[in-house]
Amino acid sequence: MSEQLSTALVTGGSRGIGKAIAETLAKAGYQVYLTYVSKADEAEAVARNIVAAGGKACAFRLDVADAEAVAAFFKERIKDQVELDVLVNNAGITKDGLMLRMKDEDFDRVIQTNLRGAFVCVREAAKIMTRQRHGRIINISSVVGQMGNYASAKAGLIGLTKSAAKELAGRNVTVNAVAPGFVETDMTASLPDDVRAAYIDAIPLKRLGTPQDIADAVAFLASPGAGYITGQVIAVNGGMYC
Ligand code: NDP
């Protein structure tokens, strides 16, 4: 068995918000395990840069939509190998479209990745954290999950957060969600200029969020100062929905 290092697992840490979360938690002193599904080079580069800056990080391929692979990952890489202090369920995809035109397979894929993927990770992490009698789980939801906007999975993630918070509180495991507004990442890069301008107009702070804005909220929820917060949704959205 290797040395039991205090570890934060960040799903989808190769780009965007997950990358900023991985870097910020590494600076806070965690060994970071970050996962990716397709962009191995980008994930390896994130891990390498963390190590070059004096931190600890490893990148792993893990499709969170594959429940068996997630269970195997926790068994082989986490259980009895590291102390799992923090799980950040960040991996996500979008297939935005009008409900009347949405295909079943697109709906299912989003639910499988954004909601069931998070559920399976929570379940596997909870087995370890309840035994340790401490842990922090942070789910990345979305402002659309609060407002309603083709957002069944992100709204479901808020329900999952509240249920898991109640179930795990007795073992000193907190579960919270962060709900970003619109953030500058690959996910929003293809927005047409007029749509982007309309979003900015609707944001009281008059700018899109940065990945760091979200990572700072996650780092707070992982910190000792947030030990009495559970079952909450922290909106980080420039005042868009308050
Ligand atoms: P990006 O598209 O920039 O990055 C998505 C990340 O998720 C990548 O690391 C990607 O890996 C990973 N990923 C995608 N599918 C899977 C999968 N099946 N298994 C494991 N990892 C996967 O997204 P953002 O950084 O913008 O978003 C991160 C999270 O924040 C998402 O949950 C998103 O819904 C949420 N969010 C984003 C907002 C925004 O405006 N950007 C607003 C509100 C919420 P790879 O690089 O290998 O493809």
Side-chain angles (χ1 to χ4, degrees), residues 10-175:
V10 181
T11 67
S14 48
R15 295 183 279 134
I17 293 170
K19 172 177 181 250
I21 293 170
E23 290 167 347
T24 304
L25 292 179
K27 275 193 204 133
Y30 294 100
Q31 161 173 253
V32 175
Y33 280 9
L34 58 102
T35 74
Y36 63 94
V37 67
S38 59
K39 303 215 183 290
D41 290 351
E42 297 190 29
E44 297 290 352
V46 176
R48 244 191 343 266
N49 289 339
I50 289 173
V51 172
K56 291 196 172 69
C58 299
F60 300 93
R61 184 181 186 282
L62 178 63
D63 180 355
V64 296
D66 180 346
E68 280 180 22
V70 173
F73 176 81
F74 273 84
K75 200 164 159 219
E76 287 156 24
R77 301 288 190 172
I78 307 275
K79 190 169 177 269
D80 300 330
Q81 305 289 317
V82 296
E83 185 154 322
L84 184 64
D85 285 292
V86 181
L87 164 68
V88 184
N89 278 311
N90 164 79
I93 54 169
T94 45
K95 300 236 179 253
D96 282 353
L98 292 174
M99 202 185 289
L100 290 179
R101 290 197 204 135
M102 179 160 295
K103 293 186 190 137
D104 290 355
E105 56 264 35
D106 286 347
F107 183 86
D108 289 348
R109 186 72 198 163
V110 171
I111 294 284
Q112 252 175 34
T113 305
N114 297 9
L115 183 55
R116 200 189 68 176
F119 160 70
V120 177
C121 289
V122 169
R123 185 179 61 201
E124 297 306 314
K127 291 178 191 166
I128 295 165
M129 289 175 170
T130 53
R131 217 183 47 221
Q132 293 172 172
R133 293 191 175 261
H134 70 90
R136 300 284 169 89
I137 298 174
I138 300 152
N139 296 319
I140 306 300
S141 178
S142 170
V143 66
V144 298
Q146 298 178 300
M147 292 170 73
N149 189 14
Y150 324 121
S152 311
K154 292 298 186 184
L157 203 46
I158 292 174
L160 172 69
T161 299
K162 290 177 184 287
S163 306
K166 286 199 171 130
E167 201 170 316
L168 302 177
R171 296 295 180 104
N172 193 29
V173 177
T174 67
V175 189

